[in-house]
Amino acid sequence: MKTLFFGIILCVFFMISLLRLSSLEAHWSSDEARWLLRSIDFKSAVKNGKFSETLIAYHPGVTTMWVSGLRTLFIEPSLNVL
């Protein structure tokens, strides 16, 4: 039973990942451009060791900035918002 549950969770995660990874250049939310800019600033601050500059937003967006920062290693961020 646990194996079936784990298998279902793994399949759902895989399907969701495929959908998102197949359209990394697409904007999915209204504030994505803002988060891309914040992510670039965050990644730059970490890369340069200026950790006091990593506090960019007043709320916790660290997960979003890390993921978006990692994304910029593979795809150049573009801010062409419709």
Side-chain angles (χ1 to χ4, degrees):
M1 188 65 152
K2 286 183 180 182
T3 306
L4 178 63
F5 179 73
F6 180 72
I8 291 171
I9 296 295
L10 190 61
C11 285
V12 169
F13 179 77
F14 181 71
M15 290 186 326
I16 291 170
S17 296
L18 275 178
L19 289 172
R20 184 58 183 140
L21 291 174
S22 66
S23 61
L24 284 177
E25 294 182 9
H27 294 284
W28 283 35
S29 65
S30 61
D31 65 344
E32 189 166 354
R34 181 181 320 150
W35 280 105
L36 281 174
L37 290 173
R38 288 177 179 172
S39 299
I40 292 167
D41 293 341
F42 183 81
K43 187 180 89 169
S44 176
V46 170
K47 183 178 178 181
N48 295 320
K50 298 179 180 179
F51 299 109
S52 62
E53 294 179 13
T54 60
L55 180 60
I56 296 171
Y58 65 90
H59 55 82
V62 173
T63 306
T64 303
M65 288 188 281
W66 274 108
V67 171
S68 296
L70 287 173
R71 173 185 176 252
T72 61
L73 295 175
F74 302 104
I75 294 176
E76 188 66 32
S78 64
L79 300 176
N80 298 331
V81 182
L82 297 176

